[in-house]
Amino acid sequence: MIFVRRRLIFRSLFGLVVNVIHHVNVNPGLSSIYPITDTGISNLTHSEQVTRLLAGGATIIQLREKRESARTFFAEAAIAVPLGQAAGARMIINDRVDIALALKADGVHLGQTDMPVSAARALLGAEAIIGYSTHNLVQVKAALELPVDYLAFGPIFPTGSKENPDPVAGLEALGAVKALVADIPLVAIGGIRRGTLEAVFAAGADCAAIISDIISPGEKIAENFRSLLAIANNQRR
Ligand code: 3NM
């Protein structure tokens, strides 16, 4: 019994080490705009938001649920993940590694207080996309050692979409982060709107993750996404 347990511990530790050491960044397939769902802000279910985002041309979508129970989120995501994947989009689950694993989502987005990135990598495997939120330079430096496929940094501007956001980091800090992360894709987040996209890319972001300026109002999601993507692609050219 003890032997079996030891062997299991050894195997999972070995798996973790192999995954961490051999992790080569998966191309996360980030487009310049990374939409994130929110049922409270859009007044729509996750799958309704996904349908509209796909109509607007989204190729990667993060499902984020901070209010509902795991069971409700699971039930919603069980519809939204295959819907997005059938249309060729990469579907990322916020926080919940278990839900991502159960639904064969394309990856997870983890925050500073979620399951450690290395443990998520060991569970999800080398092919999964793992994104990680950072809010200051100390966290960014620590994240450089982790098996992540992209780093998010924010909030760049004040945001009303997150409860207890970290202090506003600003564009200058975003530039400093870009200098640190080298070739890890950098996702700027927090209060980004069409009028500030240019400044965000000029500061060094590879991608802008956005909630409210895309999904509010719910009826305009496809239109909002399409126009933000056009602006971003034009500016990055
Ligand atoms: N994370 P909006 S800011 C989900 O700072 C999230 O890590 C943030 O929503 C961070 O585009 C944020 O409506 C909210 O401001 C982003």
Side-chain angles (χ1 to χ4, degrees):
M1 184 65 186
I2 287 174
F3 179 67
V4 170
R5 208 183 303 144
R6 267 208 208 132
R7 214 172 53 189
L8 279 178
I9 290 170
F10 177 76
R11 245 202 279 159
S12 51
L13 277 179
F14 182 73
L16 198 135
V17 168
V18 166
N19 264 327
V20 172
I21 291 176
H22 286 289
H23 180 66
V24 181
N25 278 10
V26 175
N27 174 355
L30 287 173
S31 72
S32 49
I33 304 289
Y34 184 4
I36 303 176
T37 61
D38 185 302
T39 52
I41 295 173
S42 64
N43 277 321
L44 295 171
T45 64
H46 292 284
S47 52
E48 284 166 340
Q49 292 172 78
V50 167
T51 300
R52 289 162 197 227
L53 287 166
L54 293 171
T59 52
I60 181 166
I61 299 171
Q62 183 186 135
L63 304 181
R64 183 173 185 270
E65 180 54 74
K66 294 288 190 184
R67 270 170 285 254
E68 297 291 349
S69 64
R71 184 167 300 190
T72 302
F73 186 32
F74 179 88
E76 273 276 321
I79 302 169
V81 167
L83 188 68
Q85 287 177 335
R90 299 188 185 202
M91 300 300 294
I92 309 297
I93 301 286
N94 183 273
D95 295 356
R96 302 295 306 230
V97 176
D98 50 354
I99 293 179
L101 200 53
L103 296 178
K104 298 187 172 55
D106 296 279
V108 288
H109 183 91
L110 298 173
Q112 291 286 322
T113 56
D114 294 322
M115 169 184 273
V117 168
S118 304
R121 174 65 66 197
L123 281 174
L124 295 171
E127 298 299 315
I129 297 165
I130 300 187
Y132 186 47
S133 285
T134 59
H135 312 285
N136 56 55
L137 292 185
V138 172
Q139 291 174 356
V140 171
K141 283 179 192 154
L144 299 179
E145 307 300 319
L146 301 175
V148 295
D149 299 298
Y150 69 84
L151 276 184
F153 181 73
I156 307 302
F157 305 108
T159 177
S161 306
K162 187 179 184 183
E163 268 188 37
N164 303 317
D166 283 77
V168 169
L171 290 166
E172 208 173 306
L174 180 62
V177 170
K178 181 61 184 175
L180 281 175
V181 299
D183 59 347
I184 302 176
L186 176 59
V187 176
I189 188 165
I192 301 171
R193 315 191 78 81
R194 64 202 60 215
T196 50
L197 271 181
E198 186 175 7
V200 164
F201 290 118
D206 299 301
C207 167
I210 298 175
I211 300 181
S212 53
D213 214 29
I214 296 177
I215 62 156
S216 171
E219 324 68 78
K220 286 198 157 183
I221 289 178
E223 184 184 329
N224 286 346
F225 184 82
R226 213 177 287 121
S227 67
L228 280 165
L229 190 65
I231 295 168
N233 288 344
N234 208 24
Q235 279 169 357
R236 289 205 316 170
R237 211 165 280 144

